[in-house]
Amino acid sequence: MSDGVLLEMKNISKEFPGVKALDNVSLNVRSGTVHSLMGENGAGKSTLMKCLFGIYSKNSGKIFLEGKEVEFKNPKDALESGVAMVHQELNQALKRNVMDNIWLGRYPKTGGVVVNERRMYKDTKDIFDTLSIDVDPRTVMSRMSVAQRQMVEIAKAVSYNAKVIVLDEPTSSLTEHEVEHLFSIIDMLKKRGCGIIYISHKMEEILRISDDITVMRDGTHVISAPASEFTIDKIIKCMVGRELSGRFPEKKNVPGEIALSVRGLSSEYANVRDVDIDVRRGEIVGIAGLAGAGRTELIENIFGISARKSGEITLYGKKVRNRNPREAIREGFALLTEERRANGIFGILDIKENTTVASLRKYLYGGVYLSDKKRREDTEWAVKSMRVKCPSQKTKIRTLSGGNQQKVILARWLLTEPTVLMLDEPTRGIDVGSKYEIYRLIGELAEKGKSIIMVSGELPELLGVCDRIYVMSGGRISGAVDAKSTTQEEIMTLAAANV
C-alpha cells in the first residue's frame, strides 16, 4: 500500500441474480482527505459501499483498513472497527429521542444494568458542541427536520471515533446554510485524519470539497485522479461514456391557454396562505423558495393530501375539489412526492406492482379481475422508456438505486395519463445522465399539452427546464418571473422577501 492510504478496496466484485453489480472495482482513500465517488444511478457506488460496510458480502476482492485486511460481517462489526456510513435514506427510530438513536445498542450503564441517562446526555452534548450542532439530545427524532436528523447521524459516526466515514448524498435535503455547516464539519474531520468517502451528483459541490475523485460506470472503475484534474464536462463524460450536449434539452413546448387556475388557496394546517397561480396548457411552471417556504405544502394541498382552509381550483374552467388524492387522480392530477422511500415506493413489492398501482382500474376486466398481461406490457414500456436498470419486473423496488426508484414512480404517474403533473424534487439524488433523461421526458410531456408544476431547490434546474417560475416565501407567492430573462439573484431576493 502507498503512503497515506487509510482504506484500500482492491478488485471488489459482487453479483446478484441476473446482474453483475461490481466487476473488479478498486478504491483508495487517503487519510485526512475527501474522496468523492461518482457515477450514474446503478453504476455500483452504493453496492461498493455496502460491501465495505458489511451489508453485502463481496464475491471476490480484498479490503484493507490501515494496512490490515478486514472483512466486516455486518454494520455493527464495521462501526466497531472505525468505519461509519450515513445513508441517503435515513433509517432512524423516530419515536425515540436523539441520544437514544446515537447510543442504541451501546448504552452507558451503571453497574452494567441501569442505563446512565445523565452520562448519555453529557456525552451527546459534548459531541454536539464539538460539531456546533444546536439540538437538544432529549428531542424526539420525529420532531426534527431531515437536515437535523442527518446531523445526528453524522454525530453518531463521530461517536464511534470513525476513521472512515461514508456520506451518501448528504446535502440532498439541506439548505445553503446547512450545507456550509456540513462542510465545516467535514473540514474538522479531515484535520483529525479521517478519510471521507463522499457520494453526490452535485458537480459544483464535488469540485469544491474533494481532494480525489473516482468515477464508476456500469459496475466498473473508470478513473481515479486528484480533483484538480477534473472539470464538470470531464466528470460527465466519464460518468455517461459520452458527451451530453448541454445539461438541459432544448425547449420545444409552446404554452397555450390557461389550464389550471388556483385562487386564494390557504391550508388549514400547513404553511400555505392566499396563493394564486396559473399554469397553461403545455407549460412547465417552477416553484422556488427557501426551505420552509411552503413549496411542497402547496402542491400537496392542490393534490388533496392536506386539509384546505379556503381557495378555489379550476381545471379548464371546471371547478375541482380534490378533497383527497383519490379524487385528485380522477380529476387528472398526479403528484410525484419528494421523499420516495417514505411515501413514494412500496418497498416490499416488485417493479410491476409499483408501476401499475395507481392505474389498477384500467386493468380490470369483468369488474373483478386484473389483467396481468396488460400490467406486464405497461411495466415493460416503463422499464424501457425510462431506462430503468433492473434484472426483471419481479425485482423488489427497494433493491434498486434511488434514481431507478424515481424513474419507476414517474412512470407510475404517467400511466394514469394526467392532465396536471406535479413533481416535487424529481431529480433529487439522481445522476446527471438520468437527470437529462427526466428533463427530456418532462419537455416531451409539455409538448403533448400536459401542464407541469415542478418544485426544486436547484435554481439552475428550474431555469434550465421551466417556462415561468413562482417564488414562495413564508407560505405566500412573493413573485413570478420568466425563466428566460430572470437570474438566480432575482429569485433569491424574492425568496428572502417578507410577504
Side-chain angles (χ1 to χ4, degrees):
M1 280 175 47
S2 59
D3 292 341
V5 174
L6 176 64
L7 172 73
E8 182 181 16
M9 301 185 74
K10 192 171 182 180
N11 300 324
I12 306 298
S13 293
K14 176 64 180 176
E15 292 187 31
F16 297 103
V19 63
K20 189 163 191 175
L22 297 173
D23 188 4
N24 289 309
V25 176
S26 296
L27 177 72
N28 290 345
V29 180
R30 297 182 291 127
S31 176
T33 65
V34 173
H35 194 124
S36 288
L37 186 57
M38 303 198 70
E40 293 191 270
N41 291 108
K45 307 183 299 297
S46 294
T47 302
L48 183 65
M49 292 300 97
K50 287 176 180 178
C51 287
L52 168 64
F53 198 52
I55 297 173
Y56 293 156
S57 58
K58 61 189 185 303
N59 293 115
S60 61
K62 295 183 178 181
I63 300 174
F64 299 90
L65 182 62
E66 295 184 308
K68 178 184 176 182
E69 186 173 355
V70 294
E71 178 138 13
F72 305 131
K73 298 181 179 65
N74 50 55
K76 183 175 184 290
D77 193 12
L79 283 165
E80 291 174 349
S81 301
V83 176
M85 185 171 178
V86 179
H87 299 269
Q88 178 185 2
E89 311 288 357
L90 300 176
N91 186 18
Q92 297 166 316
L94 297 182
K95 294 184 179 180
R96 306 298 294 271
N97 65 30
V98 168
M99 57 188 188
D100 278 337
N101 273 268
I102 289 181
W103 304 104
L104 192 65
R106 54 191 179 120
Y107 290 125
K109 296 179 179 178
T110 302
V113 179
V114 180
V115 174
N116 189 333
E117 293 214 5
R118 181 175 294 180
R119 181 183 160 194
M120 188 162 62
Y121 178 89
K122 182 182 181 302
D123 290 348
T124 305
K125 194 74 169 63
D126 288 345
I127 295 170
F128 283 3
D129 289 345
T130 301
L131 301 178
S132 299
I133 296 174
D134 185 19
V135 171
D136 184 346
R138 294 192 179 95
T139 303
V140 176
M141 293 294 292
S142 61
R143 296 176 183 170
M144 300 196 304
S145 68
V146 174
Q148 289 175 314
R149 287 166 49 200
Q150 197 166 50
M151 290 301 179
V152 170
E153 282 298 294
I154 293 171
K156 183 176 180 177
V158 172
S159 75
Y160 277 94
N161 295 315
K163 303 163 191 166
V164 177
I165 300 178
V166 181
L167 300 176
D168 190 357
E169 294 287 351
T171 65
S172 62
S173 300
L174 304 188
T175 65
E176 189 173 336
H177 174 73
E178 290 162 342
V179 169
E180 293 302 323
H181 183 199
L182 174 65
F183 287 174
S184 69
I185 291 175
I186 289 174
D187 284 338
M188 186 194 69
L189 293 173
K190 284 174 61 176
K191 290 173 184 175
R192 289 187 179 185
C194 287
I196 309 293
I197 301 175
Y198 195 90
I199 301 175
S200 176
H201 295 302
K202 297 182 179 180
M203 304 288 179
E204 293 85 355
E205 189 175 281
I206 288 292
L207 292 177
R208 173 184 169 185
I209 199 173
S210 304
D211 298 291
D212 303 298
I213 296 175
T214 288
V215 180
M216 295 177 63
R217 183 171 69 239
D218 297 329
T220 64
H221 175 273
V222 176
I223 185 174
S224 292
S228 58
E229 297 181 11
F230 285 92
T231 62
I232 288 178
D233 288 342
K234 181 176 179 180
I235 292 173
I236 291 174
K237 187 175 181 181
C238 290
M239 283 174 60
V240 303
R242 63 188 188 279
E243 299 279 0
L244 282 181
S245 54
R247 291 172 68 178
F248 304 100
E250 180 186 353
K251 294 180 182 178
K252 297 179 181 179
N253 59 304
V254 180
E257 73 276 25
I258 291 176
L260 174 68
S261 181
V262 175
R263 290 291 176 269
L265 189 69
S266 294
S267 177
E268 186 71 53
Y269 306 109
N271 185 29
V272 178
R273 297 181 290 164
D274 199 28
V275 169
D276 293 349
I277 64 170
D278 290 317
V279 185
R280 298 180 178 276
R281 182 182 184 276
E283 184 179 34
I284 306 169
V285 168
I287 307 290
L290 302 175
R295 299 169 300 170
T296 294
E297 291 83 353
L298 171 61
I299 59 176
E300 285 184 344
N301 200 278
I302 293 173
F303 196 63
I305 290 177
S306 58
R308 190 170 306 125
K309 182 178 181 181
S310 61
E312 186 175 275
I313 301 172
T314 59
L315 184 60
Y316 286 107
K318 174 193 172 186
K319 289 183 182 180
V320 293
R321 301 182 69 179
N322 290 6
R323 290 168 294 186
N324 53 59
R326 180 180 297 176
E327 189 173 313
I329 292 170
R330 283 202 303 266
E331 295 288 359
F333 290 77
L335 171 62
L336 187 146
T337 57
E338 177 182 10
E339 298 291 339
R340 57 177 169 259
R341 267 195 194 275
N343 48 32
I345 67 168
F346 297 91
I348 63 172
L349 301 181
D350 61 26
I351 293 171
K352 182 186 72 177
E353 300 291 345
N354 272 274
T355 302
T356 60
V357 68
S359 309
L360 294 180
R361 286 176 177 271
K362 68 189 288 187
Y363 304 113
L364 283 174
Y365 67 93
V368 178
Y369 303 103
L370 291 173
S371 171
D372 197 55
K373 178 184 177 184
K374 179 59 176 170
R375 294 173 74 199
R376 288 198 307 270
E377 289 173 353
D378 280 356
T379 304
E380 185 65 24
W381 165 85
V383 169
K384 287 183 178 178
S385 64
M386 301 298 292
R387 301 180 190 177
V388 178
K389 294 180 180 178
C390 62
S392 75
Q393 294 185 18
K394 295 181 179 179
T395 303
K396 295 286 190 292
I397 193 170
R398 66 187 177 195
T399 66
L400 302 184
S401 67
N404 283 305
Q405 289 176 6
Q406 192 79 319
K407 292 177 185 178
V408 171
I409 301 169
L410 184 54
R412 172 201 298 168
W413 289 115
L414 295 183
L415 287 174
T416 68
E417 301 177 359
T419 302
V420 178
L421 177 61
M422 297 182 287
L423 309 169
D424 195 354
E425 300 287 359
T427 65
R428 173 171 288 173
I430 293 181
D431 62 81
V432 65
S434 296
K435 277 186 176 182
Y436 190 89
E437 291 173 16
I438 289 177
Y439 297 150
R440 176 184 54 78
L441 183 59
I442 291 171
E444 289 177 358
L445 291 169
E447 284 182 62
K448 294 176 181 177
K450 304 294 184 185
S451 299
I452 297 168
I453 301 176
M454 179 173 167
V455 172
S456 176
E458 295 187 37
L459 294 184
E461 178 172 83
L462 291 176
L463 293 170
V465 175
C466 299
D467 300 299
R468 287 186 304 121
I469 301 170
Y470 285 101
V471 186
M472 293 190 70
S473 177
R476 300 178 183 272
I477 299 295
S478 56
V481 295
D482 188 298
K484 291 180 181 177
S485 58
T486 192
T487 63
Q488 293 190 46
E489 290 74 18
E490 182 182 11
I491 293 174
M492 287 305 296
T493 300
L494 289 168
N498 291 318
V499 292

